[in-house]
Amino acid sequence: MNQVKVIRQRYQMKRPDFAALLGVSVRTLEGWESGRFTPSGAAKKLLQVIGASHEAFAQLQRFKGESQMIELERDPEALTIMGVPFASPKAYQAAVNAIANNMFEGYVPTVEDVRHLVDDAQSPIDPREILKQVEAEEHVVTHD
């Protein structure tokens, strides 16, 4: 059986609903399922991801409709996110990755959040300090 159809049926979706979820026409979906043509580019990758992961399918369903698209305002040349400048390409890219990963979970970043990331990038985290803080918190909890 055709893989596109198998994926659609696994999620028990009707063609119009599945086509809308993928952002394609029902006619395109029918063409894929009949084997007249095959998905390519982003559609192919998206089908591979949701075919392999129920979690990815659930995430895709959360973003139905264009109104739920969240874009991160960033400028890779100026190394800015939401107008907040980063000192290095490495710090900028790490922040973009962290924010984007959390946006998949529904997080909407603020300028203040981005400023915190800049501060964190400028003052590296000392694992010994974190361990001291954790131990101090545990001491307070167990000795109150």
Side-chain angles (χ1 to χ4, degrees):
M1 185 181 289
N2 179 285
Q3 283 297 93
V4 176
K5 189 172 186 175
V6 168
I7 294 167
R8 178 178 62 81
Q9 289 178 339
R10 178 183 316 141
Y11 294 115
Q12 301 174 351
M13 294 190 76
K14 296 180 187 234
R15 278 186 179 146
D17 297 330
F18 195 60
L21 186 69
L22 296 174
V24 299
S25 70
V26 174
R27 193 171 187 175
T28 296
L29 180 60
E30 288 171 347
W32 292 343
E33 288 187 357
S34 70
R36 287 193 313 268
F37 43 93
T38 59
S40 61
K44 181 178 180 178
K45 291 294 178 191
L46 183 58
L47 284 162
Q48 288 171 335
V49 169
I50 66 173
S53 168
H54 291 286
E55 292 82 15
F57 177 77
Q59 288 294 328
L60 182 60
Q61 284 189 303
R62 288 185 53 216
F63 293 105
K64 284 182 194 172
E66 293 176 36
S67 64
Q68 292 186 21
M69 288 294 293
I70 300 171
E71 231 177 274
L72 181 61
E73 178 194 326
R74 61 191 176 98
D75 183 343
E77 291 179 16
L79 299 178
T80 61
I81 301 172
M82 299 175 77
V84 178
F86 283 77
S88 72
K90 184 177 179 181
Y92 165 81
Q93 193 57 55
V96 167
N97 292 343
I99 292 170
N101 285 336
N102 284 303
M103 287 172 74
F104 281 116
E105 299 296 323
Y107 166 72
V108 179
T110 65
V111 172
E112 190 61 29
D113 295 335
V114 177
R115 286 189 183 121
H116 285 298
L117 290 170
V118 169
D119 292 343
D120 290 344
Q122 291 174 346
S123 55
I125 298 170
D126 181 354
R128 293 172 296 221
E129 277 302 311
I130 293 173
L131 185 56
K132 284 180 190 176
Q133 290 175 3
V134 169
E135 289 171 346
E137 288 174 13
E138 287 176 353
H139 181 72
V140 169
V141 170
T142 58
H143 292 85
D144 279 348

mmCIF file with all atom_site columns, all heavy atoms in Angstrom, residues 19-45:
data_model
loop_
_atom_site.group_PDB
_atom_site.id
_atom_site.type_symbol
_atom_site.label_atom_id
_atom_site.label_alt_id
_atom_site.label_comp_id
_atom_site.label_asym_id
_atom_site.label_entity_id
_atom_site.label_seq_id
_atom_site.pdbx_PDB_ins_code
_atom_site.Cartn_x
_atom_site.Cartn_y
_atom_site.Cartn_z
_atom_site.occupancy
_atom_site.B_iso_or_equiv
_atom_site.pdbx_formal_charge
_atom_site.auth_seq_id
_atom_site.auth_comp_id
_atom_site.auth_asym_id
_atom_site.auth_atom_id
_atom_site.pdbx_PDB_model_num
ATOM 1   N N   . ALA A 1 19 ? -4.916 16.620 4.162   1.00 0.00 ? 19 ALA A N   1
ATOM 2   C CA  . ALA A 1 19 ? -4.384 17.565 3.176   1.00 0.00 ? 19 ALA A CA  1
ATOM 3   C C   . ALA A 1 19 ? -4.233 18.953 3.809   1.00 0.00 ? 19 ALA A C   1
ATOM 4   O O   . ALA A 1 19 ? -3.205 19.618 3.635   1.00 0.00 ? 19 ALA A O   1
ATOM 5   C CB  . ALA A 1 19 ? -5.294 17.630 1.950   1.00 0.00 ? 19 ALA A CB  1
ATOM 6   N N   . ALA A 1 20 ? -5.248 19.380 4.556   1.00 0.00 ? 20 ALA A N   1
ATOM 7   C CA  . ALA A 1 20 ? -5.182 20.685 5.216   1.00 0.00 ? 20 ALA A CA  1
ATOM 8   C C   . ALA A 1 20 ? -4.040 20.730 6.229   1.00 0.00 ? 20 ALA A C   1
ATOM 9   O O   . ALA A 1 20 ? -3.329 21.732 6.344   1.00 0.00 ? 20 ALA A O   1
ATOM 10  C CB  . ALA A 1 20 ? -6.512 20.998 5.897   1.00 0.00 ? 20 ALA A CB  1
ATOM 11  N N   . LEU A 1 21 ? -3.855 19.645 6.961   1.00 0.00 ? 21 LEU A N   1
ATOM 12  C CA  . LEU A 1 21 ? -2.788 19.576 7.949   1.00 0.00 ? 21 LEU A CA  1
ATOM 13  C C   . LEU A 1 21 ? -1.422 19.723 7.283   1.00 0.00 ? 21 LEU A C   1
ATOM 14  O O   . LEU A 1 21 ? -0.530 20.389 7.814   1.00 0.00 ? 21 LEU A O   1
ATOM 15  C CB  . LEU A 1 21 ? -2.863 18.244 8.695   1.00 0.00 ? 21 LEU A CB  1
ATOM 16  C CG  . LEU A 1 21 ? -1.912 18.074 9.865   1.00 0.00 ? 21 LEU A CG  1
ATOM 17  C CD1 . LEU A 1 21 ? -2.308 18.984 11.017  1.00 0.00 ? 21 LEU A CD1 1
ATOM 18  C CD2 . LEU A 1 21 ? -1.893 16.625 10.315  1.00 0.00 ? 21 LEU A CD2 1
ATOM 19  N N   . LEU A 1 22 ? -1.271 19.120 6.103   1.00 0.00 ? 22 LEU A N   1
ATOM 20  C CA  . LEU A 1 22 ? 0.001  19.183 5.379   1.00 0.00 ? 22 LEU A CA  1
ATOM 21  C C   . LEU A 1 22 ? 0.154  20.460 4.559   1.00 0.00 ? 22 LEU A C   1
ATOM 22  O O   . LEU A 1 22 ? 1.237  20.744 4.050   1.00 0.00 ? 22 LEU A O   1
ATOM 23  C CB  . LEU A 1 22 ? 0.134  17.974 4.452   1.00 0.00 ? 22 LEU A CB  1
ATOM 24  C CG  . LEU A 1 22 ? 0.194  16.603 5.124   1.00 0.00 ? 22 LEU A CG  1
ATOM 25  C CD1 . LEU A 1 22 ? 0.165  15.499 4.077   1.00 0.00 ? 22 LEU A CD1 1
ATOM 26  C CD2 . LEU A 1 22 ? 1.422  16.489 6.008   1.00 0.00 ? 22 LEU A CD2 1
ATOM 27  N N   . GLY A 1 23 ? -0.947 21.197 4.412   1.00 0.00 ? 23 GLY A N   1
ATOM 28  C CA  . GLY A 1 23 ? -0.887 22.427 3.627   1.00 0.00 ? 23 GLY A CA  1
ATOM 29  C C   . GLY A 1 23 ? -0.879 22.179 2.133   1.00 0.00 ? 23 GLY A C   1
ATOM 30  O O   . GLY A 1 23 ? -0.276 22.943 1.375   1.00 0.00 ? 23 GLY A O   1
ATOM 31  N N   . VAL A 1 24 ? -1.547 21.106 1.694   1.00 0.00 ? 24 VAL A N   1
ATOM 32  C CA  . VAL A 1 24 ? -1.636 20.790 0.271   1.00 0.00 ? 24 VAL A CA  1
ATOM 33  C C   . VAL A 1 24 ? -3.103 20.625 -0.105  1.00 0.00 ? 24 VAL A C   1
ATOM 34  O O   . VAL A 1 24 ? -3.962 20.496 0.770   1.00 0.00 ? 24 VAL A O   1
ATOM 35  C CB  . VAL A 1 24 ? -0.848 19.503 -0.095  1.00 0.00 ? 24 VAL A CB  1
ATOM 36  C CG1 . VAL A 1 24 ? 0.630  19.673 0.219   1.00 0.00 ? 24 VAL A CG1 1
ATOM 37  C CG2 . VAL A 1 24 ? -1.416 18.277 0.592   1.00 0.00 ? 24 VAL A CG2 1
ATOM 38  N N   . SER A 1 25 ? -3.378 20.585 -1.378  1.00 0.00 ? 25 SER A N   1
ATOM 39  C CA  . SER A 1 25 ? -4.751 20.373 -1.821  1.00 0.00 ? 25 SER A CA  1
ATOM 40  C C   . SER A 1 25 ? -5.119 18.897 -1.708  1.00 0.00 ? 25 SER A C   1
ATOM 41  O O   . SER A 1 25 ? -4.246 18.022 -1.692  1.00 0.00 ? 25 SER A O   1
ATOM 42  C CB  . SER A 1 25 ? -4.923 20.836 -3.270  1.00 0.00 ? 25 SER A CB  1
ATOM 43  O OG  . SER A 1 25 ? -4.221 19.962 -4.137  1.00 0.00 ? 25 SER A OG  1
ATOM 44  N N   . VAL A 1 26 ? -6.407 18.638 -1.642  1.00 0.00 ? 26 VAL A N   1
ATOM 45  C CA  . VAL A 1 26 ? -6.885 17.248 -1.617  1.00 0.00 ? 26 VAL A CA  1
ATOM 46  C C   . VAL A 1 26 ? -6.459 16.548 -2.901  1.00 0.00 ? 26 VAL A C   1
ATOM 47  O O   . VAL A 1 26 ? -6.074 15.377 -2.881  1.00 0.00 ? 26 VAL A O   1
ATOM 48  C CB  . VAL A 1 26 ? -8.417 17.202 -1.440  1.00 0.00 ? 26 VAL A CB  1
ATOM 49  C CG1 . VAL A 1 26 ? -8.940 15.780 -1.563  1.00 0.00 ? 26 VAL A CG1 1
ATOM 50  C CG2 . VAL A 1 26 ? -8.820 17.803 -0.102  1.00 0.00 ? 26 VAL A CG2 1
ATOM 51  N N   . ARG A 1 27 ? -6.490 17.276 -3.982  1.00 0.00 ? 27 ARG A N   1
ATOM 52  C CA  . ARG A 1 27 ? -6.084 16.701 -5.275  1.00 0.00 ? 27 ARG A CA  1
ATOM 53  C C   . ARG A 1 27 ? -4.618 16.250 -5.243  1.00 0.00 ? 27 ARG A C   1
ATOM 54  O O   . ARG A 1 27 ? -4.273 15.187 -5.767  1.00 0.00 ? 27 ARG A O   1
ATOM 55  C CB  . ARG A 1 27 ? -6.319 17.732 -6.367  1.00 0.00 ? 27 ARG A CB  1
ATOM 56  C CG  . ARG A 1 27 ? -6.231 17.174 -7.730  1.00 0.00 ? 27 ARG A CG  1
ATOM 57  C CD  . ARG A 1 27 ? -6.692 18.197 -8.719  1.00 0.00 ? 27 ARG A CD  1
ATOM 58  N NE  . ARG A 1 27 ? -6.759 17.596 -10.026 1.00 0.00 ? 27 ARG A NE  1
ATOM 59  C CZ  . ARG A 1 27 ? -7.213 18.185 -11.077 1.00 0.00 ? 27 ARG A CZ  1
ATOM 60  N NH1 . ARG A 1 27 ? -7.678 19.410 -10.998 1.00 0.00 ? 27 ARG A NH1 1
ATOM 61  N NH2 . ARG A 1 27 ? -7.228 17.577 -12.231 1.00 0.00 ? 27 ARG A NH2 1
ATOM 62  N N   . THR A 1 28 ? -3.762 17.069 -4.631  1.00 0.00 ? 28 THR A N   1
ATOM 63  C CA  . THR A 1 28 ? -2.350 16.684 -4.509  1.00 0.00 ? 28 THR A CA  1
ATOM 64  C C   . THR A 1 28 ? -2.215 15.427 -3.658  1.00 0.00 ? 28 THR A C   1
ATOM 65  O O   . THR A 1 28 ? -1.502 14.488 -4.025  1.00 0.00 ? 28 THR A O   1
ATOM 66  C CB  . THR A 1 28 ? -1.532 17.837 -3.883  1.00 0.00 ? 28 THR A CB  1
ATOM 67  O OG1 . THR A 1 28 ? -1.560 18.952 -4.775  1.00 0.00 ? 28 THR A OG1 1
ATOM 68  C CG2 . THR A 1 28 ? -0.094 17.425 -3.608  1.00 0.00 ? 28 THR A CG2 1
ATOM 69  N N   . LEU A 1 29 ? -2.924 15.407 -2.535  1.00 0.00 ? 29 LEU A N   1
ATOM 70  C CA  . LEU A 1 29 ? -2.883 14.234 -1.659  1.00 0.00 ? 29 LEU A CA  1
ATOM 71  C C   . LEU A 1 29 ? -3.372 12.990 -2.395  1.00 0.00 ? 29 LEU A C   1
ATOM 72  O O   . LEU A 1 29 ? -2.764 11.924 -2.296  1.00 0.00 ? 29 LEU A O   1
ATOM 73  C CB  . LEU A 1 29 ? -3.716 14.478 -0.396  1.00 0.00 ? 29 LEU A CB  1
ATOM 74  C CG  . LEU A 1 29 ? -3.760 13.328 0.607   1.00 0.00 ? 29 LEU A CG  1
ATOM 75  C CD1 . LEU A 1 29 ? -2.371 12.983 1.116   1.00 0.00 ? 29 LEU A CD1 1
ATOM 76  C CD2 . LEU A 1 29 ? -4.694 13.666 1.758   1.00 0.00 ? 29 LEU A CD2 1
ATOM 77  N N   . GLU A 1 30 ? -4.451 13.129 -3.145  1.00 0.00 ? 30 GLU A N   1
ATOM 78  C CA  . GLU A 1 30 ? -4.972 11.996 -3.925  1.00 0.00 ? 30 GLU A CA  1
ATOM 79  C C   . GLU A 1 30 ? -3.939 11.515 -4.930  1.00 0.00 ? 30 GLU A C   1
ATOM 80  O O   . GLU A 1 30 ? -3.781 10.305 -5.152  1.00 0.00 ? 30 GLU A O   1
ATOM 81  C CB  . GLU A 1 30 ? -6.265 12.390 -4.637  1.00 0.00 ? 30 GLU A CB  1
ATOM 82  C CG  . GLU A 1 30 ? -7.443 12.545 -3.706  1.00 0.00 ? 30 GLU A CG  1
ATOM 83  C CD  . GLU A 1 30 ? -8.673 13.149 -4.386  1.00 0.00 ? 30 GLU A CD  1
ATOM 84  O OE1 . GLU A 1 30 ? -8.565 13.682 -5.518  1.00 0.00 ? 30 GLU A OE1 1
ATOM 85  O OE2 . GLU A 1 30 ? -9.745 13.104 -3.761  1.00 0.00 ? 30 GLU A OE2 1
ATOM 86  N N   . GLY A 1 31 ? -3.223 12.452 -5.538  1.00 0.00 ? 31 GLY A N   1
ATOM 87  C CA  . GLY A 1 31 ? -2.167 12.087 -6.492  1.00 0.00 ? 31 GLY A CA  1
ATOM 88  C C   . GLY A 1 31 ? -1.054 11.299 -5.831  1.00 0.00 ? 31 GLY A C   1
ATOM 89  O O   . GLY A 1 31 ? -0.545 10.324 -6.381  1.00 0.00 ? 31 GLY A O   1
ATOM 90  N N   . TRP A 1 32 ? -0.680 11.709 -4.614  1.00 0.00 ? 32 TRP A N   1
ATOM 91  C CA  . TRP A 1 32 ? 0.352  10.985 -3.875  1.00 0.00 ? 32 TRP A CA  1
ATOM 92  C C   . TRP A 1 32 ? -0.136 9.591  -3.517  1.00 0.00 ? 32 TRP A C   1
ATOM 93  O O   . TRP A 1 32 ? 0.587  8.610  -3.671  1.00 0.00 ? 32 TRP A O   1
ATOM 94  C CB  . TRP A 1 32 ? 0.719  11.711 -2.593  1.00 0.00 ? 32 TRP A CB  1
ATOM 95  C CG  . TRP A 1 32 ? 1.428  13.012 -2.755  1.00 0.00 ? 32 TRP A CG  1
ATOM 96  C CD1 . TRP A 1 32 ? 2.073  13.477 -3.873  1.00 0.00 ? 32 TRP A CD1 1
ATOM 97  C CD2 . TRP A 1 32 ? 1.568  14.025 -1.766  1.00 0.00 ? 32 TRP A CD2 1
ATOM 98  N NE1 . TRP A 1 32 ? 2.602  14.717 -3.635  1.00 0.00 ? 32 TRP A NE1 1
ATOM 99  C CE2 . TRP A 1 32 ? 2.308  15.074 -2.340  1.00 0.00 ? 32 TRP A CE2 1
ATOM 100 C CE3 . TRP A 1 32 ? 1.140  14.155 -0.452  1.00 0.00 ? 32 TRP A CE3 1
ATOM 101 C CZ2 . TRP A 1 32 ? 2.640  16.243 -1.641  1.00 0.00 ? 32 TRP A CZ2 1
ATOM 102 C CZ3 . TRP A 1 32 ? 1.469  15.299 0.252   1.00 0.00 ? 32 TRP A CZ3 1
ATOM 103 C CH2 . TRP A 1 32 ? 2.208  16.333 -0.339  1.00 0.00 ? 32 TRP A CH2 1
ATOM 104 N N   . GLU A 1 33 ? -1.369 9.516  -3.017  1.00 0.00 ? 33 GLU A N   1
ATOM 105 C CA  . GLU A 1 33 ? -1.890 8.220  -2.580  1.00 0.00 ? 33 GLU A CA  1
ATOM 106 C C   . GLU A 1 33 ? -2.120 7.261  -3.743  1.00 0.00 ? 33 GLU A C   1
ATOM 107 O O   . GLU A 1 33 ? -1.999 6.055  -3.574  1.00 0.00 ? 33 GLU A O   1
ATOM 108 C CB  . GLU A 1 33 ? -3.190 8.420  -1.779  1.00 0.00 ? 33 GLU A CB  1
ATOM 109 C CG  . GLU A 1 33 ? -2.952 9.022  -0.420  1.00 0.00 ? 33 GLU A CG  1
ATOM 110 C CD  . GLU A 1 33 ? -4.201 9.063  0.444   1.00 0.00 ? 33 GLU A CD  1
ATOM 111 O OE1 . GLU A 1 33 ? -5.292 8.668  -0.023  1.00 0.00 ? 33 GLU A OE1 1
ATOM 112 O OE2 . GLU A 1 33 ? -4.081 9.479  1.613   1.00 0.00 ? 33 GLU A OE2 1
ATOM 113 N N   . SER A 1 34 ? -2.451 7.793  -4.909  1.00 0.00 ? 34 SER A N   1
ATOM 114 C CA  . SER A 1 34 ? -2.677 6.916  -6.059  1.00 0.00 ? 34 SER A CA  1
ATOM 115 C C   . SER A 1 34 ? -1.374 6.513  -6.741  1.00 0.00 ? 34 SER A C   1
ATOM 116 O O   . SER A 1 34 ? -1.353 5.609  -7.568  1.00 0.00 ? 34 SER A O   1
ATOM 117 C CB  . SER A 1 34 ? -3.584 7.611  -7.082  1.00 0.00 ? 34 SER A CB  1
ATOM 118 O OG  . SER A 1 34 ? -2.876 8.675  -7.702  1.00 0.00 ? 34 SER A OG  1
ATOM 119 N N   . GLY A 1 35 ? -0.288 7.207  -6.380  1.00 0.00 ? 35 GLY A N   1
ATOM 120 C CA  . GLY A 1 35 ? 1.001  6.903  -6.988  1.00 0.00 ? 35 GLY A CA  1
ATOM 121 C C   . GLY A 1 35 ? 1.232  7.622  -8.308  1.00 0.00 ? 35 GLY A C   1
ATOM 122 O O   . GLY A 1 35 ? 2.235  7.379  -8.974  1.00 0.00 ? 35 GLY A O   1
ATOM 123 N N   . ARG A 1 36 ? 0.322  8.522  -8.697  1.00 0.00 ? 36 ARG A N   1
ATOM 124 C CA  . ARG A 1 36 ? 0.524  9.276  -9.937  1.00 0.00 ? 36 ARG A CA  1
ATOM 125 C C   . ARG A 1 36 ? 1.763  10.158 -9.840  1.00 0.00 ? 36 ARG A C   1
ATOM 126 O O   . ARG A 1 36 ? 2.446  10.381 -10.823 1.00 0.00 ? 36 ARG A O   1
ATOM 127 C CB  . ARG A 1 36 ? -0.702 10.142 -10.262 1.00 0.00 ? 36 ARG A CB  1
ATOM 128 C CG  . ARG A 1 36 ? -1.885 9.343  -10.752 1.00 0.00 ? 36 ARG A CG  1
ATOM 129 C CD  . ARG A 1 36 ? -2.978 10.217 -11.372 1.00 0.00 ? 36 ARG A CD  1
ATOM 130 N NE  . ARG A 1 36 ? -3.319 11.388 -10.579 1.00 0.00 ? 36 ARG A NE  1
ATOM 131 C CZ  . ARG A 1 36 ? -4.286 11.439 -9.662  1.00 0.00 ? 36 ARG A CZ  1
ATOM 132 N NH1 . ARG A 1 36 ? -4.998 10.367 -9.403  1.00 0.00 ? 36 ARG A NH1 1
ATOM 133 N NH2 . ARG A 1 36 ? -4.530 12.545 -8.991  1.00 0.00 ? 36 ARG A NH2 1
ATOM 134 N N   . PHE A 1 37 ? 2.019  10.663 -8.642  1.00 0.00 ? 37 PHE A N   1
ATOM 135 C CA  . PHE A 1 37 ? 3.255  11.408 -8.396  1.00 0.00 ? 37 PHE A CA  1
ATOM 136 C C   . PHE A 1 37 ? 3.606  11.278 -6.922  1.00 0.00 ? 37 PHE A C   1
ATOM 137 O O   . PHE A 1 37 ? 2.806  10.780 -6.127  1.00 0.00 ? 37 PHE A O   1
ATOM 138 C CB  . PHE A 1 37 ? 3.178  12.873 -8.842  1.00 0.00 ? 37 PHE A CB  1
ATOM 139 C CG  . PHE A 1 37 ? 1.904  13.589 -8.500  1.00 0.00 ? 37 PHE A CG  1
ATOM 140 C CD1 . PHE A 1 37 ? 1.795  14.328 -7.328  1.00 0.00 ? 37 PHE A CD1 1
ATOM 141 C CD2 . PHE A 1 37 ? 0.794  13.544 -9.331  1.00 0.00 ? 37 PHE A CD2 1
ATOM 142 C CE1 . PHE A 1 37 ? 0.634  15.003 -7.012  1.00 0.00 ? 37 PHE A CE1 1
ATOM 143 C CE2 . PHE A 1 37 ? -0.381 14.203 -9.005  1.00 0.00 ? 37 PHE A CE2 1
ATOM 144 C CZ  . PHE A 1 37 ? -0.464 14.940 -7.848  1.00 0.00 ? 37 PHE A CZ  1
ATOM 145 N N   . THR A 1 38 ? 4.822  11.681 -6.582  1.00 0.00 ? 38 THR A N   1
ATOM 146 C CA  . THR A 1 38 ? 5.293  11.497 -5.205  1.00 0.00 ? 38 THR A CA  1
ATOM 147 C C   . THR A 1 38 ? 5.602  12.850 -4.574  1.00 0.00 ? 38 THR A C   1
ATOM 148 O O   . THR A 1 38 ? 5.982  13.793 -5.264  1.00 0.00 ? 38 THR A O   1
ATOM 149 C CB  . THR A 1 38 ? 6.554  10.620 -5.162  1.00 0.00 ? 38 THR A CB  1
ATOM 150 O OG1 . THR A 1 38 ? 7.563  11.245 -5.953  1.00 0.00 ? 38 THR A OG1 1
ATOM 151 C CG2 . THR A 1 38 ? 6.286  9.240  -5.686  1.00 0.00 ? 38 THR A CG2 1
ATOM 152 N N   . PRO A 1 39 ? 5.453  12.914 -3.263  1.00 0.00 ? 39 PRO A N   1
ATOM 153 C CA  . PRO A 1 39 ? 5.809  14.160 -2.583  1.00 0.00 ? 39 PRO A CA  1
ATOM 154 C C   . PRO A 1 39 ? 7.301  14.427 -2.694  1.00 0.00 ? 39 PRO A C   1
ATOM 155 O O   . PRO A 1 39 ? 8.102  13.495 -2.792  1.00 0.00 ? 39 PRO A O   1
ATOM 156 C CB  . PRO A 1 39 ? 5.407  13.920 -1.124  1.00 0.00 ? 39 PRO A CB  1
ATOM 157 C CG  . PRO A 1 39 ? 5.108  12.481 -0.999  1.00 0.00 ? 39 PRO A CG  1
ATOM 158 C CD  . PRO A 1 39 ? 4.963  11.900 -2.350  1.00 0.00 ? 39 PRO A CD  1
ATOM 159 N N   . SER A 1 40 ? 7.660  15.693 -2.686  1.00 0.00 ? 40 SER A N   1
ATOM 160 C CA  . SER A 1 40 ? 9.079  16.047 -2.740  1.00 0.00 ? 40 SER A CA  1
ATOM 161 C C   . SER A 1 40 ? 9.329  17.231 -1.810  1.00 0.00 ? 40 SER A C   1
ATOM 162 O O   . SER A 1 40 ? 8.399  17.825 -1.274  1.00 0.00 ? 40 SER A O   1
ATOM 163 C CB  . SER A 1 40 ? 9.482  16.408 -4.172  1.00 0.00 ? 40 SER A CB  1
ATOM 164 O OG  . SER A 1 40 ? 8.738  17.530 -4.613  1.00 0.00 ? 40 SER A OG  1
ATOM 165 N N   . GLY A 1 41 ? 10.583 17.535 -1.621  1.00 0.00 ? 41 GLY A N   1
ATOM 166 C CA  . GLY A 1 41 ? 10.971 18.695 -0.828  1.00 0.00 ? 41 GLY A CA  1
ATOM 167 C C   . GLY A 1 41 ? 10.461 18.629 0.595   1.00 0.00 ? 41 GLY A C   1
ATOM 168 O O   . GLY A 1 41 ? 10.529 17.596 1.267   1.00 0.00 ? 41 GLY A O   1
ATOM 169 N N   . ALA A 1 42 ? 9.921  19.750 1.056   1.00 0.00 ? 42 ALA A N   1
ATOM 170 C CA  . ALA A 1 42 ? 9.468  19.870 2.446   1.00 0.00 ? 42 ALA A CA  1
ATOM 171 C C   . ALA A 1 42 ? 8.320  18.903 2.750   1.00 0.00 ? 42 ALA A C   1
ATOM 172 O O   . ALA A 1 42 ? 8.251  18.347 3.847   1.00 0.00 ? 42 ALA A O   1
ATOM 173 C CB  . ALA A 1 42 ? 9.041  21.304 2.732   1.00 0.00 ? 42 ALA A CB  1
ATOM 174 N N   . ALA A 1 43 ? 7.431  18.695 1.786   1.00 0.00 ? 43 ALA A N   1
ATOM 175 C CA  . ALA A 1 43 ? 6.308  17.776 2.011   1.00 0.00 ? 43 ALA A CA  1
ATOM 176 C C   . ALA A 1 43 ? 6.808  16.359 2.265   1.00 0.00 ? 43 ALA A C   1
ATOM 177 O O   . ALA A 1 43 ? 6.316  15.666 3.166   1.00 0.00 ? 43 ALA A O   1
ATOM 178 C CB  . ALA A 1 43 ? 5.359  17.796 0.817   1.00 0.00 ? 43 ALA A CB  1
ATOM 179 N N   . LYS A 1 44 ? 7.806  15.950 1.519   1.00 0.00 ? 44 LYS A N   1
ATOM 180 C CA  . LYS A 1 44 ? 8.367  14.614 1.703   1.00 0.00 ? 44 LYS A CA  1
ATOM 181 C C   . LYS A 1 44 ? 8.991  14.483 3.090   1.00 0.00 ? 44 LYS A C   1
ATOM 182 O O   . LYS A 1 44 ? 8.756  13.498 3.797   1.00 0.00 ? 44 LYS A O   1
ATOM 183 C CB  . LYS A 1 44 ? 9.411  14.330 0.622   1.00 0.00 ? 44 LYS A CB  1
ATOM 184 C CG  . LYS A 1 44 ? 10.030 12.952 0.719   1.00 0.00 ? 44 LYS A CG  1
ATOM 185 C CD  . LYS A 1 44 ? 11.019 12.727 -0.412  1.00 0.00 ? 44 LYS A CD  1
ATOM 186 C CE  . LYS A 1 44 ? 11.636 11.353 -0.324  1.00 0.00 ? 44 LYS A CE  1
ATOM 187 N NZ  . LYS A 1 44 ? 12.562 11.120 -1.449  1.00 0.00 ? 44 LYS A NZ  1
ATOM 188 N N   . LYS A 1 45 ? 9.774  15.487 3.489   1.00 0.00 ? 45 LYS A N   1
ATOM 189 C CA  . LYS A 1 45 ? 10.411 15.459 4.806   1.00 0.00 ? 45 LYS A CA  1
ATOM 190 C C   . LYS A 1 45 ? 9.363  15.460 5.918   1.00 0.00 ? 45 LYS A C   1
ATOM 191 O O   . LYS A 1 45 ? 9.481  14.723 6.898   1.00 0.00 ? 45 LYS A O   1
ATOM 192 C CB  . LYS A 1 45 ? 11.360 16.643 4.992   1.00 0.00 ? 45 LYS A CB  1
ATOM 193 C CG  . LYS A 1 45 ? 12.589 16.567 4.136   1.00 0.00 ? 45 LYS A CG  1
ATOM 194 C CD  . LYS A 1 45 ? 13.446 15.396 4.557   1.00 0.00 ? 45 LYS A CD  1
ATOM 195 C CE  . LYS A 1 45 ? 14.660 15.275 3.665   1.00 0.00 ? 45 LYS A CE  1
ATOM 196 N NZ  . LYS A 1 45 ? 15.373 14.031 3.872   1.00 0.00 ? 45 LYS A NZ  1
#
